[in-house]
Amino acid sequence: MSTGAYAATYQRSLSDPTAFWGEAARAVEWSTPPTTVLDDANPPFYRWFRGGRLNTCFNALDRHVRDGRGEQTALVYDSPVTGTRAAFTYAELLEKVAVFAGALASLGVEKGDRVVIYMPMVPEAVVAMLACARLGAIHSVVFGGFAPAELAARIEDARPVVVVAASCGIEPTRVVEYKPMLDAALDRSSHQPEAVIVLQRPQARATIGGRDTAWQEVDWDELVADAEPTGCVDVEATDPLYILYTSGTTGRPKGIVRDNGGHAVALCWSMENVFDIGPGDVFFTASDVGWVVGHSYIVYAPLLTGATTVLYEGKPVGTPDAGAFWRVCAEHGVKAMFTAPTAYRAVRREDPEGALVREYDLSRLETVFLAGERLDPDTYAWASEVLGVPVVDHWWQTETGWPIVANLRGLDPMPLKAGSPSVPVPGFDVRVLDETGEEVERGTEGAIAIRLPLPPGTLPTLWNDDDRYVAGYLSVYEGHYLTGDGGLMDDDGYLYVMGRTDDVLNVAGHRLSTGSIETALAGHPAVAECAVIGVADALKGQVPRGLVVLKADVDAAADGERIRTELVQRVRDEVGAVASLRQVDVVAALPKTRSGKILRKTMREMADGRTPVVPGTIEDASVLDALAPVLRPPV
């Protein structure tokens, strides 16, 4: 481990977190400074910056305009799927946000109300998020690729006053209409909003007000035309800024809560120290605002810092080719870019020699950051070679909101190791534990946990569900947050993350519950029993694979192929295309323990070509023998 600035900073963050984060909080402008930096009176519910009041939108926009940065570009919109490029200064973005906040207020949105946002990668999505923050309302962005069932579950849990949607999203080869999916979600939701706002896109205009509904449907442009700009509403540092739903080990989504104060402090600190980005720098995060990466590093962190952020509506390949990222970096003067390893694997597959890199001037690109899934050594080596800049793996989760483990490029750049996201970030007391909760020796694999309290910016709880927060994250190891990932620490203090230890899939950086996919499969009338496992995939890191046992009266030989096709489509309809389920196998039986637990881990190891450790509690070993030809990959 480094003996320089990193080591001293990391140790201080753990030994005196009050002083450490109290100093970091100076990067944020408070209307009322916090009276308590770390409130540890009610463990495990730790709260940061108690007594402080602020507004996140003010810190992201207003203060920069006030301080003379109004003419600097805040947001660049680059959309190869529509052939559109636009730029918005801080002053222009502030005006749009203030007006849309006024529009939301005209529909009755107040501090503490929830607003669900179901939009693609368009500037209005950023405007809507910041407008909610301006009012002290709580936004919940739902990824536009989610199907009605997933959207309905989030609407029911968040209970929004208003839903903001676009008429469509645009893929390289098709237009995806959002309004019919929203209508279907609202039809099946027990909660109904008071209003739905629709941004009309020319590629597919939606019908507004054509149904008999309990809610008002309004056109975005018409609503904004009559709205008056509104100012910022101060909130407590501990008040929620947003809810972001993530998959759990069951089909029911978990509402991750992010507070205002800790979030602003942590993101400001991370931009300077992890990403080496300051005011005026250009930061390009190729993700989606529906995921935590988009929340933190497309929208909030760059704007809180006073940087320029790039909003990209396109793909790594096919819009129009595998040079899309390099074009964006060259045209907009990007200093650092951030995306998932899957994106780089797709680029490498299309352009293995990196020939397209040489067509663009990347002289201003200093660093590439990759996260969201494991960065395999081959992709790391390829990217490092073709780009000639540091390729920095880092590891974090929706729950934490910012990196847990990273190579801190702005604080103390350290040697990079293939396969490792480097070292714990200050504030995160990362441990590798055995089954009894004891730390394992260096080089020994175990469960990755973080000793409480978690630093600012991490989840303080789940939305309206403290019990599930404790049960899901804090109950396995006393005084520790369980990450759900396994791994090891080497002798230099570098962490290696080996993968999930639970039933959550990581598909191209997107976390998906096996439970939600299994629910879709089980709903088919021919299915008696099913299981979903995540198997290794060269491009996406991991993809789901379904195994189903058909009911006794179903003729598998005659109807199996039709049922398999229907099951794949059913998952697409119920969960969304993001689930990426392509393969469903009909099997005679699923392996179980004598208590009835399905051996998903054993099947996953078989499908990945590993020799499984078969528990002694297995009910019938012959079932595994029968599955071997189905599961084992061809040699």
Side-chain angles (χ1 to χ4, degrees):
M1 187 174 287
S2 168
T3 57
Y6 165 75
T9 303
Y10 182 71
Q11 184 56 44
R12 184 164 178 261
S13 76
L14 300 187
S15 63
D16 195 355
T18 294
F20 182 87
W21 290 111
E23 291 178 10
R26 296 173 187 167
V28 172
E29 187 163 326
W30 305 85
S31 54
T32 303
T35 55
T36 304
V37 173
L38 172 59
D39 179 357
D40 57 1
N42 185 31
F45 299 100
Y46 299 92
R47 302 309 303 263
W48 289 94
F49 309 112
R50 179 80 72 183
R53 294 180 65 83
L54 76 164
N55 183 277
T56 297
C57 180
F58 178 87
N59 275 275
L61 298 178
D62 299 67
R63 66 168 172 163
H64 301 310
V65 175
R66 180 201 62 194
D67 295 343
R69 306 184 68 85
E71 296 311 305
Q72 178 198 309
T73 300
L75 176 69
V76 171
Y77 172 52
D78 190 305
S79 174
V81 295
T82 62
T84 304
R85 295 174 202 174
F88 305 88
T89 66
Y90 271 93
E92 290 168 339
L93 187 58
L94 172 57
E95 180 181 6
K96 289 183 177 293
V97 169
V99 169
F100 192 66
L104 289 174
S106 73
L107 295 175
V109 176
E110 298 178 343
K111 175 183 173 182
D113 287 338
R114 275 79 63 206
V115 175
V116 163
I117 300 171
Y118 186 59
M119 301 185 81
M121 291 290 286
V122 291
E124 289 83 358
V126 178
V127 168
M129 293 168 71
L130 290 166
C132 290
R134 192 170 191 82
L135 294 174
I138 303 164
H139 65 68
S140 184
V141 183
V142 179
F143 175 64
F146 274 145
E150 296 289 330
L151 177 56
R154 287 151 174 78
I155 290 172
E156 287 191 340
D157 197 66
R159 303 184 68 82
V161 173
V162 170
V163 176
V164 184
S167 60
C168 67
I170 302 164
E171 298 292 326
T173 58
R174 65 192 181 108
V175 173
V176 181
E177 294 193 37
Y178 283 8
K179 186 60 164 48
M181 291 193 287
L182 173 59
D183 289 343
L186 291 172
D187 285 345
R188 64 196 298 170
S189 172
S190 61
H191 172 79
Q192 304 295 301
E194 296 179 13
V196 170
I197 303 171
V198 179
L199 173 72
Q200 296 284 18
R201 305 190 75 188
Q203 292 80 10
R205 296 184 63 83
T207 300
I208 297 179
R211 305 193 313 153
D212 182 16
T213 61
W215 58 88
Q216 176 187 5
E217 293 189 346
V218 292
D219 179 279
W220 173 298
D221 290 334
E222 293 177 6
L223 184 67
V224 165
D226 296 330
E228 294 292 332
T230 191
C232 296
V233 176
D234 276 353
V235 298
E236 298 288 338
T238 52
D239 284 341
L241 170 67
Y242 68 76
I243 306 164
L244 183 57
Y245 288 92
T246 188
S247 294
T249 53
T250 67
R252 179 182 163 211
K254 297 181 294 188
I256 305 302
V257 174
R258 195 81 64 217
D259 64 14
N260 277 270
H263 173 259
V265 173
L267 291 191
C268 285
W269 193 92
S270 73
M271 283 300 275
E272 177 183 356
N273 292 279
V274 176
F275 298 101
D276 192 26
I277 294 293
D281 290 335
V282 181
F283 195 59
F284 169 34
T285 297
S287 180
D288 191 284
V289 291
W291 308 122
V292 70
V293 171
H295 280 59
S296 293
Y297 294 108
I298 295 176
V299 182
Y300 285 111
L303 298 178
L304 287 166
T305 300
T308 298
T309 186
V310 178
L311 183 79
Y312 176 68
E313 188 183 23
K315 302 292 183 181
V317 298
T319 56
D321 56 30
F325 283 170
W326 324 136
R327 176 193 64 76
V328 172
C329 290
E331 287 187 5
H332 305 302
V334 171
K335 178 181 178 182
M337 82 161 293
F338 174 8
T339 192
T342 292
Y344 269 43
R345 284 193 287 268
V347 172
R348 181 188 181 193
R349 186 176 63 179
E350 295 291 318
D351 184 20
E353 302 303 319
L356 292 173
V357 173
R358 295 187 287 275
E359 295 184 9
Y360 298 96
D361 177 5
L362 300 182
S363 58
R364 285 174 289 185
L365 181 65
E366 297 182 6
T367 318
V368 166
F369 295 90
L370 299 176
E373 58 188 308
R374 181 173 179 268
L375 173 58
D376 59 284
D378 285 348
T379 302
Y380 165 77
W382 177 84
S384 300
E385 180 180 352
V386 301
L387 292 173
V389 300
V391 176
V392 181
D393 188 9
H394 58 304
W395 173 66
W396 49 296
Q397 301 177 326
T398 301
E399 290 85 348
T400 66
W402 63 290
I404 304 169
V405 176
N407 200 298
L408 290 91
R409 311 308 291 176
L411 174 68
D412 185 8
M414 296 163 65
L416 299 167
K417 295 187 180 185
S420 171
S422 295
V423 297
V425 170
F428 290 96
D429 191 352
V430 178
R431 311 287 181 94
V432 182
L433 308 178
D434 64 18
E435 292 181 354
T436 69
E438 296 296 319
E439 278 196 83
V440 301
E441 294 182 358
R442 294 288 175 93
T444 301
E445 190 169 347
I448 303 174
I450 305 169
R451 189 169 180 269
L452 299 178
L454 297 176
T458 56
L459 81 168
T461 188
L462 297 175
W463 178 250
N464 287 337
D465 206 341
D466 288 349
D467 291 342
R468 191 181 184 196
Y469 169 59
V470 173
Y473 296 101
L474 310 180
S475 61
V476 176
Y477 300 115
E478 184 177 358
H480 291 79
Y481 164 89
L482 185 67
T483 67
D485 281 289
L488 61 86
M489 194 89 74
D490 73 7
D491 290 338
D492 295 322
Y494 281 61
L495 187 75
Y496 290 76
V497 182
M498 303 305 193
R500 299 294 297 179
T501 58
D502 55 21
D503 291 323
V504 173
L505 309 180
N506 194 327
V507 181
H510 307 327
R511 277 177 54 178
L512 297 170
S513 164
T514 58
S516 63
I517 301 174
E518 287 175 359
T519 297
L521 295 178
H524 191 287
V527 173
E529 198 172 28
C530 65
V532 172
I533 60 174
V535 298
D537 181 79
L539 178 61
K540 297 190 175 185
Q542 192 177 40
V543 294
R545 184 171 173 185
L547 298 109
V548 298
V549 178
L550 300 182
K551 292 178 179 177
D553 60 350
V554 177
D555 187 340
D559 298 326
E561 186 60 36
R562 172 183 60 80
I563 292 170
R564 281 192 289 267
T565 300
E566 290 174 355
L567 289 171
V568 169
Q569 186 60 46
R570 185 178 179 87
V571 170
R572 187 180 185 93
D573 292 340
E574 291 291 318
V575 180
V578 69
S580 295
L581 180 72
R582 299 287 184 270
Q583 184 173 354
V584 177
D585 293 297
V586 175
V587 297
L590 294 171
K592 301 176 183 177
T593 63
R594 283 188 285 274
S595 65
K597 181 179 179 181
I598 296 175
L599 299 174
R600 291 179 179 82
K601 183 174 185 291
T602 301
M603 291 190 289
R604 185 169 65 241
E605 290 171 342
M606 293 173 66
D608 286 345
R610 293 176 285 165
T611 301
V613 178
V614 181
T617 56
I618 186 171
E619 176 65 22
D620 186 356
S622 66
V623 174
L624 277 180
D625 293 337
L627 279 176
V630 177
L631 288 174
R632 290 199 184 281
V635 178

